[in-house]
Amino acid sequence: MRRGLFGKLAVQNIRNNRSTYIPYMLTCIFCIAMMYMMEFLRDCPTLEKAVPQASEVRMIVGTGEVVVGIFCVIFLIYSNSFLMKRRQKEIGLYNILGLEKGHIGKVMFLETIMTSLLSLAAGIGFGILGSKLSLLLLFRFLHVPAVLGFYVSITGILFCITGFGGIFLVILALNLTRVRMNNPVELLKGGNTGEREPRAKWLMAFLGVICLGVGYYLAVTTESPIQAIFIFLLAVILVMAGTYLLFTAGSIVILKLLRKNKKFYYKTSNFISVSGMIYRMKQNAAGLASICILSTGVLLLLSMTVSLYFGMGDIMMNRYPFDTDAKISGISQEQSEQFQKVFAQAMEDHQVPAEKTVTETYLEIGCKQGKNGIMIGQAYNYPEDGNSVDLYTIRQSEYEKLTGEKTDLHDGEIFAWYPSEKEKDILKIDDWDFAVKKWLEKAPLSAMTNLVSNMAAIVVTDSDFEYIDGLRTKMYEGLDAYEAGKDLTVHLGVDIRGSSEEKIRYGQTVYQALKDYCRSGGFSENTIVIGGVGQVQYETYYVDNGSILFIGIFLGALFLMGTAMIIYYKQISEGYEDQGRFQIMQKVGMSRREVKGAIRRQILLVFFIPLVMAMVHISMAFPLIRRLLLLFGMANTKLYVGCTAGTVLAFALVYGLIYSMTARSYYKIVEKA
């Protein structure tokens, strides 16, 4: 062989196959740039200067980087498989012309080296250019001032070279294996070999319906937010399996049923579309299912992260109803009163400009909702199946202090708040039937902000309070727990007038005074103080949620790119396959306009089925996602609906744009016939 021949062939092959090589290289460049930017954010020294919780941000970015890396490996291998499929005839022709498989391997090695080096250089270059923008975007989401400066991450460069270099070597090994294993004649035939009509696989279609139905059922019926964590993964697996089965088997079943309908089938446009789609779905069902799954992933990811970000005010209000908020648990009534004195004294000593204060003492017990009422059973033995309930018990004297309302309760009578139960005359707690004197319209305690658990509150006499506390004590028999009367909780809160800085300054002094008293007051190790200064927690939460939103946008962009490339590859491959069909349909008497219209209807139908299916998935997942968001303190359903609708609309517009661009490439290929 003449020296330099293989290099010339490699260059010529890249030029001749630029319609497939360019998208592949753009995909590589995009993935490399994203990985560099994420590694840059983990390595950037200016992050510590701007963000106090830099370690948390790095951890979140690192987690996102792992997801991006896994996706890049899978998708680049998929993209390369399409590239090799389009080059089957070319490789077969080389064999026929006398090139040995070893020679073809050298050519492919050189092609891989050229495309890899170009992709790495361009990807790292664009990553360096985009790294500053990504850092500024991250700072914007974190609500921290931008720190100027220029930094090139050597770690990021080395990471991209080693990581993607390894991926490209794996791809090369797969390509060489494919060349070595395939017969030259079969390669030369390419996709022109005769193909049998796909069989209708009723069992697989039925299993797809079952998987999808069960997944939807779990998503719609799950009530407990805690249970939703475990159900979510199972529902995702079932829906993914159902989607693939319905696209691969269910679509063929539906098309063959349409073909049996003679009135529908024997119309010119329907005849061409249905007959063509039977073969098309066999070839592209997996790709269409992948588009559907990726589209669903983009929509879920972006709608959730955007909702959490813009719902931050509501989330913080649920977690911290006051500017400074503290709950001290594991104390007696006397200790509660001492904490209230410390709280009042701290505000007086530091001249805190209090706008509103609250002090409320209560008994909280984790219970189970049975068929006949609330049961105080064995500690830590409550199933997370939606049947658990947090029971807040309040003395009538405490309720009168909080509301200024005269209760005039007698033993066995209660005021009750329990939205999950219908307003009955009797509320059963264990073996005791309490007569409900009044159903409260709202929660009687500002501390009742737990969105995860089902909640109930009762106002009782002192005697009944001791009785219920006795049930709690019995519940903890055999365990290291508080005796009766020493497991109360006091909630102390204050809203402060002034700026954010003033709220932080005054709030920290008050909160620190409570913590200092707890440490020095001789309390049990089990006595704990939880809460904090709302403004400080707000800033911390911005760091966490801003980082998650940033990663969500990165992953959403990556998934969207993956969706676009799958669509592009599908359109190009179908364009080459439809060249012959286009010629045949014109030869049998159909006009160019009729042929183009029939093909357009077919493409539109196939193209938008995954989007419609993704929207169905999103709508069915809504109840489950709404419960998952409760774990983050997000209870604003209207906001989530709005964010989801906006995300779906934006994605649909981008999806339509992708269709428009790829359809043009398809028609150019077809019309060359």
Side-chain angles (χ1 to χ4, degrees):
M1 289 287 175
R2 198 173 65 185
R3 199 171 182 181
L5 176 63
F6 297 136
K8 290 179 180 179
L9 280 175
V11 173
Q12 190 64 38
N13 288 341
I14 295 173
R15 287 177 179 172
N16 293 340
N17 294 282
R18 56 183 177 275
S19 63
T20 50
Y21 257 120
I22 290 175
Y24 171 71
M25 291 180 66
L26 287 175
T27 303
C28 294
I29 291 168
F30 185 80
C31 291
I32 294 167
M34 287 193 70
M35 288 299 291
Y36 173 84
M37 285 189 283
M38 298 191 78
E39 190 63 25
F40 165 85
L41 293 174
R42 290 184 65 209
D43 188 46
C44 184
T46 57
L47 201 61
E48 269 87 5
K49 298 178 183 178
V51 186
Q53 304 87 356
S55 59
E56 294 181 23
V57 176
R58 285 198 171 93
M59 183 186 69
I60 295 171
V61 172
T63 304
E65 192 175 7
V66 172
V67 177
V68 171
I70 295 171
F71 182 86
C72 287
V73 172
I74 296 171
F75 190 69
L76 289 181
I77 291 175
Y78 169 84
S79 300
N80 176 76
S81 67
F82 167 81
L83 188 66
M84 290 300 297
K85 184 180 178 182
R86 293 298 329 144
R87 299 186 61 193
Q88 287 184 26
K89 289 184 180 180
E90 177 189 330
I91 296 170
L93 183 61
Y94 283 150
N95 270 150
I96 298 298
L97 293 176
L99 284 181
E100 298 176 2
K101 290 183 176 180
H103 297 151
I104 297 174
K106 289 181 181 179
V107 174
M108 297 189 71
F109 174 78
L110 291 172
E111 288 179 18
T112 303
I113 292 294
M114 292 176 187
T115 55
S116 299
L117 289 176
L118 285 171
S119 298
L120 280 169
I124 293 172
F126 280 112
I128 292 172
L129 292 174
S131 58
K132 185 66 178 179
L133 181 62
S134 66
L135 185 63
L136 292 174
L137 184 65
L138 179 61
F139 285 158
R140 178 71 180 266
F141 288 150
L142 300 181
H143 281 231
V144 297
V147 178
L148 299 177
F150 183 76
Y151 174 74
V152 176
S153 175
I154 303 300
T155 305
I157 294 174
L158 295 175
F159 180 82
C160 289
I161 292 173
T162 54
F164 284 92
I167 296 172
F168 293 141
L169 287 176
V170 170
I171 289 172
L172 176 62
L174 292 172
N175 292 343
L176 294 177
T177 303
R178 180 176 294 183
V179 171
R180 193 174 294 274
M181 296 294 291
N182 284 333
N183 185 294
V185 178
E186 291 177 354
L187 288 172
L188 192 61
K189 289 180 179 179
N192 294 329
T193 54
E195 192 174 13
R196 292 183 179 179
E197 182 180 300
R199 291 184 296 122
K201 299 177 181 178
W202 288 90
L203 180 60
M204 289 180 64
F206 180 72
L207 286 174
V209 173
I210 295 296
C211 288
L212 210 60
V214 174
Y216 285 168
Y217 176 80
L218 292 173
V220 172
T221 59
T222 301
E223 294 292 337
S224 170
I226 301 295
Q227 191 185 17
I229 298 174
F230 306 100
I231 294 297
F232 179 75
L233 181 60
L234 178 60
V236 167
I237 293 171
L238 287 169
V239 169
M240 287 179 66
T243 301
Y244 276 100
L245 288 170
L246 284 179
F247 271 97
T248 54
S251 59
I252 304 298
V253 169
I254 293 171
L255 289 169
K256 289 202 170 185
L257 288 174
L258 289 174
R259 193 171 64 178
K260 288 183 178 181
N261 187 338
K262 295 182 179 179
K263 290 183 179 179
F264 175 84
Y265 182 65
Y266 287 110
K267 292 181 180 179
T268 305
S269 59
N270 295 341
F271 175 83
I272 296 171
S273 298
V274 173
S275 60
M277 283 185 65
I278 289 176
Y279 288 93
R280 179 158 293 179
M281 290 304 297
K282 180 183 178 181
Q283 297 174 354
N284 298 305
L288 292 173
S290 299
I291 293 171
C292 178
I293 298 294
L294 283 174
S295 300
T296 305
V298 172
L299 293 172
L300 278 178
L301 190 65
L302 291 179
S303 61
M304 287 181 67
T305 52
V306 171
S307 297
L308 287 173
Y309 186 78
F310 288 105
M312 209 168 300
D314 292 337
I315 293 171
M316 295 308 301
M317 184 58 66
N318 289 325
R319 292 191 174 186
Y320 302 93
F322 293 87
D323 291 334
T324 298
D325 211 84
K327 292 179 185 177
I328 302 99
S329 58
I331 57 177
S332 64
Q333 183 66 37
E334 293 77 15
Q335 290 169 333
S336 169
E337 293 170 0
Q338 284 299 317
F339 269 108
Q340 293 178 49
K341 289 179 181 179
V342 171
F343 178 67
Q345 191 64 49
M347 288 196 294
E348 183 180 342
D349 292 344
H350 297 282
Q351 298 182 341
V352 177
E355 189 173 356
K356 180 183 178 182
T357 61
V358 66
T359 59
E360 47 193 22
T361 305
Y362 54 91
L363 175 66
E364 182 181 357
I365 310 173
C367 305
K368 182 179 179 180
Q369 176 59 52
K371 293 181 179 179
N372 299 319
I374 298 174
M375 297 183 295
I376 303 176
Q378 185 179 354
Y380 311 118
N381 193 31
Y382 300 107
E384 299 294 348
D385 56 1
N387 293 328
S388 60
V389 56
D390 285 345
L391 177 64
Y392 292 77
T393 306
I394 312 158
R395 296 179 186 269
Q396 64 175 340
S397 56
E398 183 73 15
Y399 180 79
E400 289 174 354
K401 182 195 77 173
L402 293 173
T403 63
E405 178 185 347
K406 189 69 174 175
T407 56
D408 195 25
L409 289 174
H410 299 90
D411 291 346
E413 296 179 340
I414 62 172
F415 286 179
W417 178 85
Y418 194 10
S420 302
E421 285 288 291
K422 296 180 180 179
E423 295 190 0
K424 301 177 181 177
D425 295 333
I426 299 294
L427 183 62
K428 190 177 183 66
I429 300 177
D430 270 25
D431 296 327
W432 192 274
D433 292 334
F434 287 94
V436 182
K437 190 173 181 179
K438 178 182 178 182
W439 283 99
L440 303 175
E441 294 182 0
K442 61 179 183 178
L445 299 171
S446 59
M448 297 178 68
T449 57
N450 188 351
L451 302 176
V452 177
S453 303
N454 191 17
M455 293 183 294
I458 56 173
V459 181
V460 298
T461 63
D462 288 356
S463 176
D464 288 340
F465 189 94
E466 303 300 330
Y467 168 76
I468 293 173
D469 191 25
L471 293 176
R472 180 208 59 83
T473 305
K474 186 178 179 181
M475 178 179 72
Y476 286 100
E477 282 183 353
L479 299 173
D480 183 19
Y482 289 105
E483 59 188 81
K486 295 186 177 180
D487 195 22
L488 303 180
T489 300
V490 61
H491 174 222
L492 306 170
V494 56
D495 280 336
I496 302 170
R497 291 188 297 272
S499 64
S500 298
E501 291 77 15
E502 290 174 319
K503 290 181 178 183
I504 293 174
R505 178 162 55 86
Y506 286 120
Q508 285 178 334
T509 57
V510 173
Y511 188 70
Q512 191 61 45
L514 294 172
K515 292 189 71 174
D516 291 342
Y517 179 72
C518 186
R519 282 196 295 265
S520 61
F523 295 93
S524 168
E525 293 181 356
N526 294 326
T527 300
I528 57 172
V529 181
I530 60 172
V533 180
Q535 195 63 38
V536 174
Q537 299 300 324
Y538 198 91
E539 294 173 1
T540 303
Y541 205 71
Y542 254 122
V543 169
D544 294 338
N545 268 28
S547 302
I548 293 172
L549 176 61
F550 179 80
I551 296 301
I553 291 173
F554 255 59
L555 294 179
L558 187 65
F559 291 167
L560 186 60
M561 183 273 300
T563 303
M565 294 312 301
I566 292 174
I567 291 170
Y568 176 80
Y569 293 146
K570 186 179 75 66
Q571 293 285 73
I572 295 298
S573 63
E574 289 179 359
Y576 285 111
E577 291 167 3
D578 286 342
Q579 280 183 334
R581 292 179 59 216
F582 194 90
Q583 288 179 328
I584 293 170
M585 284 187 285
Q586 285 188 307
K587 288 178 181 179
V588 297
M590 292 182 67
S591 67
R592 194 177 187 86
R593 184 178 178 183
E594 288 175 329
V595 174
K596 196 170 181 178
I599 293 176
R600 183 186 292 111
R601 284 191 296 273
Q602 184 175 314
I603 292 172
L604 280 170
L605 183 61
V606 173
F607 196 88
F608 283 100
I609 282 176
L611 180 61
V612 173
M613 196 73 176
M615 291 180 179
V616 173
H617 290 344
I618 291 294
S619 61
M620 298 305 294
F622 182 85
L624 183 63
I625 301 300
R626 186 170 60 83
R627 287 169 177 80
L628 281 175
L629 290 175
L630 291 176
L631 296 171
F632 296 92
M634 172 66 183
N636 194 334
T637 303
K638 289 183 179 179
L639 177 63
Y640 178 54
V641 170
C643 290
T644 303
T647 303
V648 170
L649 180 61
F651 182 80
L653 292 173
V654 175
Y655 193 89
L657 182 63
I658 294 170
Y659 163 76
S660 177
M661 294 172 63
T662 56
R664 288 181 192 153
S665 301
Y666 169 86
Y667 287 122
K668 285 180 182 178
I669 295 169
V670 170
E671 290 177 350
K672 287 180 182 178

